[in-house]
Every structure is written in structure tokens, then in C-alpha cells.
Amino acid sequence: KKLVEENFDVILEDNTRMPLDLVASRIWDTIDASERGGECHLRYYGWLGSLPNIQWVFNVHSNRQMVRTDNDNDDTEIFNFPVPADFDDKVAVEKEGEEESNIISSEDNNNEDAANISSAAHTTPGGSAIWGAYAYWVSKDGYNTLIERLRNDVGAIVWKGKRMRNYLIKPIDKALPRTVAAAFSREHIHLTKNPAFFRAPMLTSKIHSKWDPDF
């Protein structure tokens, strides 16, 4: 709410690192390229994923889904948010469903992030290509759409497996891009090939230290 009302450029979560001599220019270059590429409602300045998925995103998807700007001299490349249907291999596409099944059937997972990361230990790209809403920007329309959905649909914010005793809160990593993509299409979600921020799992989180081992 503060970001959209006071026109900030980025929401930055804890446990992140940045190249101090490059971070400001990378933020502005990403904003400029994104705005030149059309209407954007969710912008990532950094993101995570399994090793096979990160390699696929950089080497394949980012080239296929490159956002064309009106400036051929743009050095900063941005691309559209990846979805399971973007994967070539049908088996890889089906991993999205497998991830959800693994999460639901697991009694030992304490949060969906941990389950997602555990199930992402694969060698073939597939499933949730990226996650990690730790450095991003959302438009006012995108924010209002998310808030409206969460207020009107309790299932959009909580989930419960068949053998789980309690409901758990869905992470923003899942809720935000899915809501924006459903309302505006994934072409309105931009990612940069030159991240300004990086998650630092080797350092202790100041907020969620109990989850550090899972990362």
C-alpha cells in the first residue's frame, strides 16, 4: 500500500544483497526498458529458481519472450513472466501439477516455500519456473486487484492439504504473479536479465531465521 500510494520504485525484502556500484543504474534501466515495452503491472528486479529452471529461463525463455521496446539501443533486456505452458517437454509442463500434489500430500512441510524448493530438486526444467518476491514493484491496479481478490476469496490466501490439521498462508511469491497474470495477462509482468538484487541464503535472515535451513 505504501509503495503504490507514495510512488516508490521497489519493495525490498530482508536477506538480499546487491552490487552497490550497479544497483541504482540497474533499477532505472529496468524501469526504463519496462515502460518502453508497454504496460506493466508487476516488475521483478531479482528472482530465484532451481538450477535447471534458471538456466532455461536465461538461455531459452528470455529470448522467446523478450519484450520489444521502441529503442533498439536498450542494453537492459526484459522478458515476460514464464508459465508452465512455456516449457517444451510435456513432462516438464506437468511438473507444475506434481509440485502442487507434493505440497498437498506432505505432512512435514511447514510452509509452501519450503515444499516448493524441496520439490524443485530436479534435472529437467519444469513446474514453477521462478519464485522469490524479494525485490519487485507492483502497479496501483495490480495492488488493488490483489487486495480485492484476497478480500473476496479466502482460498486465494490460504491452503490446506488433505492430511494437514491446519490451514497455512500462501506465500506472496505465488499469489501476486498469479493474480496479476489472471487479471492482465502474463505479458504485463516483466523480469530483467540484469538483476539488481540477489537473495543471500548463506547469511542468516533477520526475520525468518527458522526457515534458513530450507534455503
Side-chain angles (χ1 to χ4, degrees):
K1 183 177 180 180
K2 188 177 181 68
L3 176 135
V4 298
E5 289 184 349
E6 300 187 23
N7 200 30
F8 283 99
D9 296 314
V10 59
I11 292 178
L12 185 63
E13 301 291 348
D14 79 315
N15 205 20
T16 60
R17 295 297 179 268
M18 66 201 77
L20 291 177
D21 56 335
L22 299 174
V23 61
S25 61
R26 288 192 178 187
I27 290 173
W28 286 113
D29 289 346
T30 298
I31 293 173
D32 183 62
S34 179
E35 290 180 345
R36 290 176 181 273
E39 188 177 23
C40 177
H41 291 289
L42 177 59
R43 183 182 301 126
Y44 286 83
Y45 299 101
W47 39 276
L48 299 173
S50 67
L51 180 57
N53 282 350
I54 288 179
Q55 292 174 332
W56 174 82
V57 167
F58 267 101
N59 298 328
V60 179
H61 176 78
S62 62
N63 296 319
R64 291 177 177 173
Q65 289 291 328
M66 186 74 64
V67 176
R68 304 299 176 185
T69 71
D70 59 4
N71 184 356
D72 294 334
N73 296 320
D74 275 339
D75 293 328
T76 300
E77 297 180 347
I78 56 175
F79 55 93
N80 295 322
F81 188 80
V83 296
D86 291 325
F87 293 107
D88 292 329
D89 190 344
K90 182 179 179 181
V91 175
V93 174
E94 292 173 349
K95 283 190 177 179
E96 174 75 6
E98 292 177 6
E99 286 181 2
E100 298 297 335
S101 296
N102 289 339
I103 291 171
I104 292 174
S105 63
S106 174
E107 295 180 290
D108 300 324
N109 290 321
N110 293 322
N111 61 80
E112 190 172 355
D113 269 345
N116 201 9
I117 291 170
S118 176
S119 65
H122 52 81
T123 57
T124 302
S128 297
I130 68 165
W131 62 80
Y134 62 86
Y136 63 97
W137 168 90
V138 62
S139 70
K140 185 174 183 180
D141 287 342
Y143 168 79
N144 289 335
T145 299
L146 176 65
I147 295 301
E148 182 179 2
R149 183 187 178 193
L150 296 182
R151 286 173 175 169
N152 295 310
D153 179 10
V154 68
I157 194 172
V158 299
W159 67 282
K160 182 177 180 293
K162 295 179 180 178
R163 288 173 285 179
M164 292 172 56
R165 296 185 181 89
N166 304 308
Y167 284 91
L168 296 178
I169 301 297
K170 289 182 180 179
I172 191 69
D173 309 57
K174 292 278 190 178
L176 185 55
R178 289 180 177 180
T179 300
V180 172
F184 304 101
S185 85
R186 59 88 170 264
E187 283 75 19
H188 292 84
I189 304 177
H190 295 166
L191 297 87
T192 176
K193 288 190 72 173
N194 297 311
F197 301 96
F198 304 87
R199 184 68 83 186
M202 72 295 295
L203 301 175
T204 301
S205 170
K206 301 300 183 183
I207 300 177
H208 306 300
S209 59
K210 66 179 181 180
W211 291 338
D212 281 346
D214 295 319
F215 289 86

Short mmCIF file of all heavy atoms in Angstrom, two decimals, residues 33-90:
data_model
loop_
_atom_site.label_atom_id
_atom_site.label_comp_id
_atom_site.label_asym_id
_atom_site.label_seq_id
_atom_site.Cartn_x
_atom_site.Cartn_y
_atom_site.Cartn_z
N ALA A 33 13.34 0.33 -19.54
CA ALA A 33 13.07 -0.68 -20.55
C ALA A 33 11.66 -1.23 -20.41
O ALA A 33 10.97 -1.48 -21.40
CB ALA A 33 14.10 -1.80 -20.44
N SER A 34 11.21 -1.42 -19.17
CA SER A 34 9.87 -1.95 -18.93
C SER A 34 8.81 -0.98 -19.41
O SER A 34 7.82 -1.37 -20.04
CB SER A 34 9.70 -2.23 -17.44
OG SER A 34 8.41 -2.73 -17.15
N GLU A 35 8.98 0.30 -19.11
CA GLU A 35 8.00 1.29 -19.54
C GLU A 35 7.98 1.45 -21.06
O GLU A 35 6.92 1.69 -21.65
CB GLU A 35 8.31 2.63 -18.86
CG GLU A 35 8.03 2.61 -17.35
CD GLU A 35 8.34 3.92 -16.68
OE1 GLU A 35 9.04 4.76 -17.31
OE2 GLU A 35 7.89 4.13 -15.54
N ARG A 36 9.12 1.30 -21.69
CA ARG A 36 9.18 1.36 -23.15
C ARG A 36 8.55 0.12 -23.78
O ARG A 36 8.11 0.16 -24.93
CB ARG A 36 10.64 1.49 -23.62
CG ARG A 36 11.29 2.82 -23.32
CD ARG A 36 12.76 2.80 -23.75
NE ARG A 36 13.44 4.05 -23.46
CZ ARG A 36 13.46 5.09 -24.27
NH1 ARG A 36 12.82 5.04 -25.43
NH2 ARG A 36 14.11 6.19 -23.95
N GLY A 37 8.51 -0.95 -23.02
CA GLY A 37 7.98 -2.21 -23.55
C GLY A 37 6.48 -2.36 -23.43
O GLY A 37 5.94 -3.40 -23.81
N GLY A 38 5.81 -1.38 -22.89
CA GLY A 38 4.36 -1.45 -22.77
C GLY A 38 3.90 -1.41 -21.32
O GLY A 38 4.69 -1.25 -20.40
N GLU A 39 2.61 -1.59 -21.13
CA GLU A 39 2.01 -1.51 -19.81
C GLU A 39 2.51 -2.65 -18.92
O GLU A 39 2.52 -3.81 -19.32
CB GLU A 39 0.49 -1.58 -19.92
CG GLU A 39 -0.24 -1.32 -18.62
CD GLU A 39 -1.74 -1.32 -18.80
OE1 GLU A 39 -2.22 -1.93 -19.78
OE2 GLU A 39 -2.45 -0.71 -17.97
N CYS A 40 2.95 -2.31 -17.72
CA CYS A 40 3.47 -3.30 -16.78
C CYS A 40 2.76 -3.13 -15.44
O CYS A 40 2.58 -2.02 -14.95
CB CYS A 40 4.98 -3.12 -16.60
SG CYS A 40 5.71 -4.25 -15.39
N HIS A 41 2.36 -4.26 -14.83
CA HIS A 41 1.70 -4.22 -13.53
C HIS A 41 2.49 -4.93 -12.44
O HIS A 41 2.14 -4.83 -11.26
CB HIS A 41 0.29 -4.81 -13.63
CG HIS A 41 -0.65 -3.96 -14.43
ND1 HIS A 41 -1.12 -2.75 -13.98
CD2 HIS A 41 -1.17 -4.14 -15.67
CE1 HIS A 41 -1.93 -2.22 -14.89
NE2 HIS A 41 -1.97 -3.04 -15.93
N LEU A 42 3.54 -5.67 -12.82
CA LEU A 42 4.40 -6.33 -11.85
C LEU A 42 5.79 -6.43 -12.46
O LEU A 42 5.94 -6.95 -13.56
CB LEU A 42 3.86 -7.72 -11.49
CG LEU A 42 4.70 -8.55 -10.52
CD1 LEU A 42 4.88 -7.84 -9.18
CD2 LEU A 42 4.05 -9.92 -10.30
N ARG A 43 6.78 -5.94 -11.73
CA ARG A 43 8.15 -5.90 -12.25
C ARG A 43 9.11 -6.52 -11.24
O ARG A 43 9.12 -6.14 -10.07
CB ARG A 43 8.55 -4.45 -12.56
CG ARG A 43 9.91 -4.28 -13.17
CD ARG A 43 10.21 -2.79 -13.39
NE ARG A 43 9.22 -2.16 -14.26
CZ ARG A 43 8.53 -1.07 -13.91
NH1 ARG A 43 8.70 -0.50 -12.72
NH2 ARG A 43 7.65 -0.56 -14.75
N TYR A 44 9.91 -7.47 -11.70
CA TYR A 44 10.88 -8.14 -10.83
C TYR A 44 12.29 -7.56 -11.06
O TYR A 44 12.77 -7.51 -12.19
CB TYR A 44 10.92 -9.63 -11.13
CG TYR A 44 9.75 -10.43 -10.61
CD1 TYR A 44 8.56 -10.50 -11.34
CD2 TYR A 44 9.83 -11.12 -9.41
CE1 TYR A 44 7.48 -11.24 -10.88
CE2 TYR A 44 8.75 -11.86 -8.94
CZ TYR A 44 7.59 -11.91 -9.68
OH TYR A 44 6.51 -12.64 -9.22
N TYR A 45 12.94 -7.18 -9.96
CA TYR A 45 14.34 -6.73 -10.02
C TYR A 45 15.29 -7.85 -9.59
O TYR A 45 16.51 -7.67 -9.61
CB TYR A 45 14.55 -5.53 -9.11
CG TYR A 45 13.72 -4.33 -9.48
CD1 TYR A 45 12.56 -4.02 -8.79
CD2 TYR A 45 14.10 -3.48 -10.53
CE1 TYR A 45 11.79 -2.92 -9.11
CE2 TYR A 45 13.33 -2.38 -10.86
CZ TYR A 45 12.18 -2.10 -10.14
OH TYR A 45 11.42 -1.00 -10.47
N GLY A 46 14.74 -8.98 -9.19
CA GLY A 46 15.51 -10.13 -8.78
C GLY A 46 14.57 -11.30 -8.59
O GLY A 46 13.38 -11.11 -8.32
N TRP A 47 15.05 -12.53 -8.76
CA TRP A 47 14.18 -13.70 -8.67
C TRP A 47 15.02 -14.94 -8.47
O TRP A 47 16.23 -14.96 -8.68
CB TRP A 47 13.31 -13.81 -9.91
CG TRP A 47 13.99 -13.47 -11.20
CD1 TRP A 47 14.15 -12.22 -11.73
CD2 TRP A 47 14.64 -14.37 -12.10
NE1 TRP A 47 14.84 -12.27 -12.91
CE2 TRP A 47 15.16 -13.60 -13.16
CE3 TRP A 47 14.82 -15.74 -12.11
CZ2 TRP A 47 15.86 -14.15 -14.22
CZ3 TRP A 47 15.52 -16.30 -13.16
CH2 TRP A 47 16.02 -15.51 -14.21
N LEU A 48 14.35 -16.01 -8.04
CA LEU A 48 15.00 -17.28 -7.75
C LEU A 48 14.42 -18.39 -8.61
O LEU A 48 13.45 -18.20 -9.32
CB LEU A 48 14.80 -17.65 -6.27
CG LEU A 48 15.35 -16.71 -5.22
CD1 LEU A 48 14.90 -17.17 -3.83
CD2 LEU A 48 16.87 -16.66 -5.28
N GLY A 49 15.02 -19.58 -8.49
CA GLY A 49 14.53 -20.75 -9.18
C GLY A 49 15.52 -21.88 -9.01
O GLY A 49 16.65 -21.68 -8.57
N SER A 50 15.09 -23.10 -9.36
CA SER A 50 16.02 -24.22 -9.32
C SER A 50 17.07 -24.01 -10.42
O SER A 50 16.85 -23.26 -11.37
CB SER A 50 15.27 -25.53 -9.56
OG SER A 50 14.77 -25.57 -10.89
N LEU A 51 18.20 -24.70 -10.31
CA LEU A 51 19.27 -24.53 -11.30
C LEU A 51 18.81 -24.85 -12.72
O LEU A 51 19.05 -24.04 -13.63
CB LEU A 51 20.48 -25.40 -10.92
CG LEU A 51 21.68 -25.31 -11.88
CD1 LEU A 51 22.16 -23.87 -12.02
CD2 LEU A 51 22.81 -26.23 -11.41
N PRO A 52 18.11 -25.97 -12.96
CA PRO A 52 17.64 -26.23 -14.34
C PRO A 52 16.69 -25.15 -14.84
O PRO A 52 16.75 -24.78 -16.02
CB PRO A 52 16.93 -27.59 -14.21
CG PRO A 52 17.52 -28.23 -13.02
CD PRO A 52 17.80 -27.11 -12.06
N ASN A 53 15.84 -24.64 -13.97
CA ASN A 53 14.89 -23.62 -14.40
C ASN A 53 15.58 -22.28 -14.67
O ASN A 53 15.23 -21.57 -15.61
CB ASN A 53 13.80 -23.45 -13.35
CG ASN A 53 12.76 -24.55 -13.43
OD1 ASN A 53 12.74 -25.34 -14.37
ND2 ASN A 53 11.89 -24.62 -12.44
N ILE A 54 16.53 -21.92 -13.82
CA ILE A 54 17.25 -20.66 -14.05
C ILE A 54 17.99 -20.70 -15.39
O ILE A 54 17.98 -19.74 -16.16
CB ILE A 54 18.23 -20.38 -12.90
CG1 ILE A 54 17.47 -19.98 -11.64
CG2 ILE A 54 19.21 -19.27 -13.28
CD1 ILE A 54 18.35 -19.72 -10.45
N GLN A 55 18.63 -21.83 -15.66
CA GLN A 55 19.35 -21.97 -16.93
C GLN A 55 18.38 -21.89 -18.10
O GLN A 55 18.67 -21.25 -19.13
CB GLN A 55 20.12 -23.29 -16.95
CG GLN A 55 21.26 -23.34 -15.95
CD GLN A 55 21.91 -24.70 -15.86
OE1 GLN A 55 21.27 -25.73 -16.11
NE2 GLN A 55 23.19 -24.73 -15.53
N TRP A 56 17.23 -22.53 -17.97
CA TRP A 56 16.23 -22.49 -19.03
C TRP A 56 15.68 -21.07 -19.22
O TRP A 56 15.50 -20.61 -20.35
CB TRP A 56 15.10 -23.46 -18.70
CG TRP A 56 13.95 -23.39 -19.65
CD1 TRP A 56 13.83 -24.00 -20.87
CD2 TRP A 56 12.74 -22.64 -19.46
NE1 TRP A 56 12.63 -23.68 -21.45
CE2 TRP A 56 11.94 -22.85 -20.62
CE3 TRP A 56 12.25 -21.83 -18.43
CZ2 TRP A 56 10.69 -22.27 -20.76
CZ3 TRP A 56 11.01 -21.25 -18.58
CH2 TRP A 56 10.24 -21.47 -19.73
N VAL A 57 15.43 -20.38 -18.12
CA VAL A 57 14.90 -19.02 -18.21
C VAL A 57 15.88 -18.10 -18.94
O VAL A 57 15.49 -17.34 -19.84
CB VAL A 57 14.58 -18.47 -16.80
CG1 VAL A 57 14.33 -16.96 -16.87
CG2 VAL A 57 13.36 -19.15 -16.22
N PHE A 58 17.15 -18.16 -18.56
CA PHE A 58 18.15 -17.29 -19.17
C PHE A 58 18.45 -17.66 -20.62
O PHE A 58 18.54 -16.78 -21.48
CB PHE A 58 19.45 -17.32 -18.36
CG PHE A 58 19.54 -16.24 -17.33
CD1 PHE A 58 19.29 -16.51 -15.99
CD2 PHE A 58 19.88 -14.94 -17.68
CE1 PHE A 58 19.36 -15.51 -15.04
CE2 PHE A 58 19.96 -13.94 -16.74
CZ PHE A 58 19.70 -14.21 -15.42
N ASN A 59 18.59 -18.94 -20.89
CA ASN A 59 19.07 -19.38 -22.20
C ASN A 59 17.97 -19.56 -23.24
O ASN A 59 18.22 -19.45 -24.43
CB ASN A 59 19.85 -20.69 -22.07
CG ASN A 59 21.08 -20.54 -21.20
OD1 ASN A 59 21.70 -19.48 -21.16
ND2 ASN A 59 21.44 -21.60 -20.48
N VAL A 60 16.75 -19.85 -22.79
CA VAL A 60 15.66 -20.16 -23.73
C VAL A 60 14.51 -19.17 -23.60
O VAL A 60 14.19 -18.44 -24.54
CB VAL A 60 15.14 -21.60 -23.52
CG1 VAL A 60 14.01 -21.91 -24.50
CG2 VAL A 60 16.27 -22.61 -23.69
N HIS A 61 13.87 -19.16 -22.44
CA HIS A 61 12.64 -18.39 -22.29
C HIS A 61 12.84 -16.90 -22.49
O HIS A 61 12.03 -16.24 -23.14
CB HIS A 61 12.04 -18.64 -20.91
CG HIS A 61 10.82 -17.82 -20.63
ND1 HIS A 61 9.58 -18.12 -21.15
CD2 HIS A 61 10.66 -16.67 -19.91
CE1 HIS A 61 8.71 -17.21 -20.76
NE2 HIS A 61 9.33 -16.33 -20.01
N SER A 62 13.90 -16.34 -21.93
CA SER A 62 14.11 -14.89 -22.03
C SER A 62 14.26 -14.43 -23.47
O SER A 62 13.89 -13.30 -23.82
CB SER A 62 15.35 -14.48 -21.22
OG SER A 62 16.52 -15.09 -21.74
N ASN A 63 14.78 -15.30 -24.34
CA ASN A 63 14.91 -14.95 -25.75
C ASN A 63 13.57 -15.09 -26.48
O ASN A 63 13.25 -14.27 -27.35
CB ASN A 63 15.96 -15.86 -26.41
CG ASN A 63 17.34 -15.65 -25.84
OD1 ASN A 63 17.75 -14.52 -25.58
ND2 ASN A 63 18.08 -16.73 -25.62
N ARG A 64 12.80 -16.10 -26.12
CA ARG A 64 11.50 -16.30 -26.75
C ARG A 64 10.51 -15.22 -26.34
O ARG A 64 9.67 -14.80 -27.15
CB ARG A 64 10.93 -17.66 -26.36
CG ARG A 64 11.65 -18.86 -26.95
CD ARG A 64 11.02 -20.13 -26.40
NE ARG A 64 11.60 -21.33 -26.97
CZ ARG A 64 11.30 -22.55 -26.56
NH1 ARG A 64 10.42 -22.72 -25.58
NH2 ARG A 64 11.87 -23.60 -27.12
N GLN A 65 10.56 -14.82 -25.09
CA GLN A 65 9.57 -13.88 -24.55
C GLN A 65 10.17 -12.50 -24.30
O GLN A 65 9.73 -11.79 -23.40
CB GLN A 65 8.99 -14.45 -23.26
CG GLN A 65 8.07 -15.64 -23.46
CD GLN A 65 6.77 -15.24 -24.15
OE1 GLN A 65 6.27 -14.14 -23.98
NE2 GLN A 65 6.23 -16.15 -24.95
N MET A 66 11.17 -12.14 -25.09
CA MET A 66 11.77 -10.82 -24.95
C MET A 66 10.74 -9.73 -25.22
O MET A 66 9.96 -9.81 -26.16
CB MET A 66 12.94 -10.67 -25.93
CG MET A 66 13.73 -9.39 -25.76
SD MET A 66 14.76 -9.45 -24.30
CE MET A 66 15.88 -10.78 -24.71
N VAL A 67 10.73 -8.73 -24.37
CA VAL A 67 9.82 -7.59 -24.55
C VAL A 67 10.49 -6.58 -25.46
O VAL A 67 11.55 -6.04 -25.13
CB VAL A 67 9.46 -6.94 -23.20
CG1 VAL A 67 8.60 -5.70 -23.42
CG2 VAL A 67 8.75 -7.94 -22.30
N ARG A 68 9.91 -6.36 -26.61
CA ARG A 68 10.47 -5.41 -27.57
C ARG A 68 10.13 -3.99 -27.15
O ARG A 68 8.99 -3.68 -26.82
CB ARG A 68 9.93 -5.68 -28.97
CG ARG A 68 10.17 -7.11 -29.43
CD ARG A 68 11.65 -7.45 -29.49
NE ARG A 68 11.86 -8.85 -29.84
CZ ARG A 68 13.05 -9.43 -29.86
NH1 ARG A 68 14.13 -8.73 -29.53
NH2 ARG A 68 13.17 -10.70 -30.18
N THR A 69 11.14 -3.12 -27.16
CA THR A 69 10.93 -1.72 -26.81
C THR A 69 11.02 -0.86 -28.05
O THR A 69 11.35 -1.33 -29.14
CB THR A 69 11.97 -1.26 -25.78
OG1 THR A 69 13.25 -1.15 -26.43
CG2 THR A 69 12.06 -2.23 -24.62
N ASP A 70 10.73 0.41 -27.88
CA ASP A 70 10.81 1.33 -29.02
C ASP A 70 12.20 1.91 -29.17
O ASP A 70 12.42 2.85 -29.93
CB ASP A 70 9.78 2.46 -28.87
CG ASP A 70 9.98 3.26 -27.59
OD1 ASP A 70 10.96 2.99 -26.86
OD2 ASP A 70 9.15 4.15 -27.32
N ASN A 71 13.17 1.34 -28.44
CA ASN A 71 14.55 1.81 -28.51
C ASN A 71 15.45 0.63 -28.78
O ASN A 71 15.69 -0.22 -27.92
CB ASN A 71 14.95 2.50 -27.20
CG ASN A 71 16.35 3.10 -27.26
OD1 ASN A 71 17.06 2.96 -28.25
ND2 ASN A 71 16.74 3.77 -26.20
N ASP A 72 15.99 0.53 -29.99
CA ASP A 72 16.84 -0.59 -30.37
C ASP A 72 18.17 -0.59 -29.63
O ASP A 72 18.90 -1.58 -29.66
CB ASP A 72 17.11 -0.58 -31.87
CG ASP A 72 15.85 -0.82 -32.68
OD1 ASP A 72 14.93 -1.47 -32.14
OD2 ASP A 72 15.78 -0.37 -33.84
N ASN A 73 18.48 0.51 -28.97
CA ASN A 73 19.76 0.63 -28.28
C ASN A 73 19.67 0.25 -26.80
O ASN A 73 20.65 0.40 -26.07
CB ASN A 73 20.32 2.05 -28.42
CG ASN A 73 20.63 2.41 -29.87
OD1 ASN A 73 21.14 1.59 -30.62
ND2 ASN A 73 20.31 3.65 -30.24
N ASP A 74 18.50 -0.22 -26.35
CA ASP A 74 18.35 -0.61 -24.96
C ASP A 74 19.30 -1.75 -24.63
O ASP A 74 19.30 -2.80 -25.29
CB ASP A 74 16.91 -1.06 -24.68
CG ASP A 74 16.01 0.12 -24.35
OD1 ASP A 74 16.53 1.17 -23.97
OD2 ASP A 74 14.77 -0.03 -24.49
N ASP A 75 20.14 -1.56 -23.63
CA ASP A 75 21.07 -2.61 -23.20
C ASP A 75 20.41 -3.55 -22.20
O ASP A 75 20.83 -4.69 -22.04
CB ASP A 75 22.32 -1.99 -22.57
CG ASP A 75 23.16 -1.22 -23.59
OD1 ASP A 75 23.16 -1.64 -24.77
OD2 ASP A 75 23.77 -0.22 -23.21
N THR A 76 19.40 -3.06 -21.50
CA THR A 76 18.72 -3.87 -20.49
C THR A 76 17.62 -4.68 -21.15
O THR A 76 16.71 -4.13 -21.75
CB THR A 76 18.12 -2.99 -19.38
OG1 THR A 76 19.18 -2.26 -18.75
CG2 THR A 76 17.42 -3.84 -18.34
N GLU A 77 17.72 -5.99 -21.04
CA GLU A 77 16.74 -6.88 -21.64
C GLU A 77 15.71 -7.30 -20.60
O GLU A 77 16.05 -7.71 -19.49
CB GLU A 77 17.43 -8.11 -22.21
CG GLU A 77 18.40 -7.80 -23.34
CD GLU A 77 19.07 -9.05 -23.88
OE1 GLU A 77 18.97 -10.11 -23.23
OE2 GLU A 77 19.69 -8.96 -24.95
N ILE A 78 14.45 -7.19 -20.95
CA ILE A 78 13.37 -7.64 -20.09
C ILE A 78 12.53 -8.65 -20.85
O ILE A 78 12.50 -8.65 -22.08
CB ILE A 78 12.49 -6.47 -19.60
CG1 ILE A 78 11.94 -5.67 -20.79
CG2 ILE A 78 13.25 -5.56 -18.65
CD1 ILE A 78 10.97 -4.59 -20.40
N PHE A 79 11.86 -9.52 -20.11
CA PHE A 79 11.06 -10.56 -20.74
C PHE A 79 9.82 -10.83 -19.90
O PHE A 79 9.73 -10.44 -18.74
CB PHE A 79 11.89 -11.83 -20.93
CG PHE A 79 12.52 -12.38 -19.68
CD1 PHE A 79 11.87 -13.35 -18.92
CD2 PHE A 79 13.75 -11.92 -19.25
CE1 PHE A 79 12.45 -13.84 -17.77
CE2 PHE A 79 14.35 -12.41 -18.10
CZ PHE A 79 13.69 -13.38 -17.35
N ASN A 80 8.86 -11.52 -20.51
CA ASN A 80 7.59 -11.80 -19.86
C ASN A 80 7.70 -12.95 -18.87
O ASN A 80 8.53 -13.84 -19.01
CB ASN A 80 6.53 -12.14 -20.91
CG ASN A 80 6.21 -10.97 -21.82
OD1 ASN A 80 6.17 -9.83 -21.38
ND2 ASN A 80 6.01 -11.26 -23.10
N PHE A 81 6.83 -12.92 -17.89
CA PHE A 81 6.80 -13.92 -16.84
C PHE A 81 6.58 -15.32 -17.42
O PHE A 81 5.69 -15.53 -18.23
CB PHE A 81 5.67 -13.59 -15.87
CG PHE A 81 5.63 -14.43 -14.63
CD1 PHE A 81 6.48 -14.16 -13.57
CD2 PHE A 81 4.75 -15.50 -14.52
CE1 PHE A 81 6.44 -14.93 -12.41
CE2 PHE A 81 4.71 -16.28 -13.38
CZ PHE A 81 5.57 -16.00 -12.32
N PRO A 82 7.39 -16.32 -17.02
CA PRO A 82 7.23 -17.68 -17.54
C PRO A 82 6.10 -18.44 -16.87
O PRO A 82 5.88 -18.32 -15.66
CB PRO A 82 8.59 -18.33 -17.24
CG PRO A 82 9.07 -17.62 -16.02
CD PRO A 82 8.57 -16.20 -16.14
N VAL A 83 5.39 -19.24 -17.65
CA VAL A 83 4.32 -20.10 -17.13
C VAL A 83 4.63 -21.53 -17.57
O VAL A 83 5.42 -21.76 -18.48
CB VAL A 83 2.95 -19.66 -17.66
CG1 VAL A 83 2.61 -18.26 -17.15
CG2 VAL A 83 2.91 -19.70 -19.18
N PRO A 84 4.03 -22.54 -16.92
CA PRO A 84 4.34 -23.94 -17.25
C PRO A 84 4.18 -24.28 -18.72
O PRO A 84 4.92 -25.11 -19.25
CB PRO A 84 3.36 -24.73 -16.38
CG PRO A 84 3.14 -23.85 -15.19
CD PRO A 84 3.15 -22.44 -15.73
N ALA A 85 3.21 -23.66 -19.39
CA ALA A 85 2.98 -23.97 -20.80
C ALA A 85 4.15 -23.55 -21.69
O ALA A 85 4.23 -23.97 -22.85
CB ALA A 85 1.70 -23.29 -21.28
N ASP A 86 5.08 -22.76 -21.17
CA ASP A 86 6.23 -22.32 -21.96
C ASP A 86 7.27 -23.41 -22.13
O ASP A 86 8.11 -23.34 -23.02
CB ASP A 86 6.90 -21.10 -21.31
CG ASP A 86 6.05 -19.86 -21.39
OD1 ASP A 86 5.36 -19.70 -22.41
OD2 ASP A 86 6.07 -19.06 -20.45
N PHE A 87 7.24 -24.42 -21.26
CA PHE A 87 8.21 -25.50 -21.37
C PHE A 87 7.89 -26.38 -22.58
O PHE A 87 6.74 -26.66 -22.88
CB PHE A 87 8.20 -26.36 -20.10
CG PHE A 87 8.71 -25.63 -18.88
CD1 PHE A 87 7.84 -25.23 -17.89
CD2 PHE A 87 10.06 -25.34 -18.73
CE1 PHE A 87 8.29 -24.56 -16.76
CE2 PHE A 87 10.52 -24.67 -17.61
CZ PHE A 87 9.64 -24.28 -16.63
N ASP A 88 8.94 -26.84 -23.25
CA ASP A 88 8.75 -27.67 -24.44
C ASP A 88 8.29 -29.07 -24.10
O ASP A 88 7.41 -29.64 -24.74
CB ASP A 88 10.08 -27.79 -25.22
CG ASP A 88 10.47 -26.46 -25.84
OD1 ASP A 88 9.57 -25.67 -26.19
OD2 ASP A 88 11.68 -26.22 -25.98
N ASP A 89 8.88 -29.64 -23.07
CA ASP A 89 8.63 -31.03 -22.71
C ASP A 89 7.30 -31.15 -21.98
O ASP A 89 7.08 -30.49 -20.97
CB ASP A 89 9.76 -31.53 -21.81
CG ASP A 89 9.70 -33.03 -21.59
OD1 ASP A 89 8.64 -33.63 -21.87
OD2 ASP A 89 10.70 -33.60 -21.14
N LYS A 90 6.40 -32.00 -22.46
CA LYS A 90 5.10 -32.18 -21.82
C LYS A 90 5.26 -32.65 -20.39
O LYS A 90 4.52 -32.25 -19.49
CB LYS A 90 4.26 -33.18 -22.61
CG LYS A 90 2.86 -33.40 -22.02
CD LYS A 90 2.07 -34.38 -22.85
CE LYS A 90 0.69 -34.61 -22.25
NZ LYS A 90 -0.10 -35.59 -23.03
#
